[in-house]
Amino acid sequence: MGYFLRKASSTLGRKSILRIVAIGAASYGLLYLNNNPNSTTVKLSTTTLLRGQLSLQGHSSFVSSYYWQFGNFPLLLSRVDPAPAIDITNEAPVAVEEGGKPSCGCLGKDYIVNAAAKVAPAVVNLSVQRELYGFSTGRSMCSGTIIDADGTILTCAHGVVDSQGRRLTTNGKVDVTLQDGRTFEGTVVNADLHSDIAIVKIKSKTPLPTAKLGSSSKLRPGDWVIAMGCPLTLQNTVTAGIVSCVDRKSSDLGLGGMRREYLQTDCAINAGNSGGPLVNIDGEIIGVNIMKVAIADGLSFSIPIDSVSKIIEHFKKNGRVIRPWLGLKMLDLNELIIAQLKERDAKFPDVEKGILVPMVTPGSPADRAGFRPGDVVIEFDGKPVQSIKEIIGIMDDRIGKPLNVVVKRANNEVVKLTVIPEEANPDM
């Protein structure tokens, strides 16, 4: 090092020497520069970790300070130890819990591997023969997951049901292939085209692998997720990504009909992934992959597993999903929206939360009950409410049963109404 700088000083100017030392500082430590008319002092500071990597002529180890004199360039090279030295070669290993999960909460190298391994055996390929007027039009492929040892498979409705005629394709018969190579003939036992969820059943004399259902209620944007399935008929495919949005509304995607919410992720989803599981890093199903935006990358959508669980309960209880209908267009309110509405109209009711009713369908149960555009729902069936989700949860499958509602109108008029929900048209 000393020889190099002496050689450089005889052939290069001051700026060049400073440039050389600056490059060395980038590699070995911090550079301090003191420039005055008579001389330039450069101080290169290193840490203990670099001990032995730099050596001074005539010294077997570092000294606290050392000067090199090159004409007008007194150079100061010193070692600064602001903190006790740490031996990185003998650093204590990170504690790892059973299953390869670091106890520090960081993402371990086997996180995704272990999560995928838990679910992979239960992921299946579904193949359906499509027909039109008795003529075969080819086969459609989708994915599914065995969620019960009795052979219950969770999948997407559009993969196994005729979405135009609302009829089960080929009498609901589906060819099912497991990852271990076993094949079965499955039967579609339930399908709900509105939510795009279906249940297929197979029978096996030997044990079937199953996957555990988790919860989607605590998901946050940025959480790691894994998409599994058989895209483009390629079985045993795993892609990873993060959650982008936990409550992407169907209206945001330009989808008509009833309100639906999706998990948005950036996992790679392609034709054939539909119906496959979206999995968290604990190896639990937290969604069902449904669709992607064809003209964009990193825009994929899944049905939250909490919504799927309710649909499965409806299947078990009623054999179909029963949805109450009021005939109201609703909007969740927050402080900013309320403030903006108050600016536009001073008569807007004084509320801190609630659900705004911008439109009432003529002839609907809500219209007959006396709802008006501009009403703000503050109580529903005796419970304070502040979101559409809460109203949907309260109604559940209550068809034909009166519900008491409290609304606020202009000038803070409080009105009590009674509405009787009807069953929604499944084609809506």
Side-chain angles (χ1 to χ4, degrees), residues 10-284:
S10 63
T11 57
L12 302 175
R14 174 176 301 194
K15 292 184 179 180
S16 298
I17 289 293
L18 292 180
R19 188 176 298 112
I20 292 171
V21 177
I23 293 173
S27 301
Y28 291 102
L30 301 177
L31 177 70
Y32 302 90
L33 174 65
N34 179 19
N35 198 9
N36 59 61
N38 298 321
S39 66
T40 299
T41 302
V42 180
K43 181 180 179 182
L44 180 63
S45 174
T46 65
T47 65
T48 304
L49 294 178
L50 299 173
R51 185 180 305 172
Q53 295 186 19
L54 296 177
S55 61
L56 304 179
Q57 288 185 348
H59 296 269
S60 59
S61 61
F62 266 152
V63 292
S64 60
S65 64
Y66 190 87
Y67 283 87
W68 280 319
Q69 181 71 42
F70 307 116
N72 293 327
F73 294 95
L75 300 178
L76 172 64
L77 181 66
S78 67
R79 184 189 74 240
V80 179
D81 293 322
I86 300 175
D87 188 352
I88 58 174
T89 60
N90 296 322
E91 188 175 354
V94 176
V96 178
E97 299 176 357
E98 184 178 356
K101 182 176 181 180
S103 59
C104 63
C106 55
L107 189 66
K109 66 176 183 178
D110 293 331
Y111 248 43
I112 293 175
V113 175
N114 294 337
K118 289 182 180 179
V119 182
V123 178
V124 301
N125 173 259
L126 305 177
S127 176
V128 177
Q129 182 69 48
R130 296 288 186 179
E131 295 182 357
L132 180 63
Y133 302 118
F135 294 97
S136 175
T137 59
R139 303 189 72 86
S140 67
M141 298 282 189
C142 63
S143 305
T145 314
I146 304 173
I147 59 173
D148 196 299
D150 67 356
T152 300
I153 298 173
L154 175 64
T155 186
C156 61
H158 75 259
V160 295
V161 174
D162 179 0
S163 60
Q164 295 182 351
R166 267 65 182 179
R167 298 184 305 273
L168 302 183
T169 38
T170 61
N171 297 318
K173 298 302 179 182
V174 182
D175 292 330
V176 180
T177 304
L178 275 62
Q179 288 203 17
D180 58 20
R182 286 182 288 173
T183 59
F184 300 88
E185 182 179 78
T187 303
V188 181
V189 293
N190 299 107
D192 181 65
L193 287 167
H194 173 73
S195 63
D196 204 1
I197 289 297
I199 295 295
V200 174
K201 274 286 189 80
I202 59 175
K203 293 181 180 180
S204 175
K205 295 180 180 180
T206 55
L208 294 170
T210 61
K212 180 182 177 182
L213 299 184
S215 174
S216 54
S217 61
K218 295 183 180 180
L219 284 176
R220 300 172 299 170
D223 279 342
W224 281 95
V225 287
I226 306 163
M228 305 179 68
C230 310
L232 306 175
T233 71
L234 301 173
Q235 288 186 256
N236 315 332
T237 299
V238 179
T239 60
I242 60 171
V243 174
S244 305
C245 181
V246 297
D247 57 355
R248 180 66 67 206
K249 297 175 179 57
S250 54
S251 57
D252 296 341
L253 305 176
L255 302 176
M258 298 179 190
R259 173 193 175 102
R260 288 153 291 178
E261 292 184 347
Y262 300 96
L263 299 174
Q264 179 182 327
T265 75
D266 68 348
C267 293
I269 299 292
N270 292 287
N273 259 120
S274 292
L278 186 70
V279 181
N280 61 21
I281 54 178
D282 292 320
E284 301 170 335

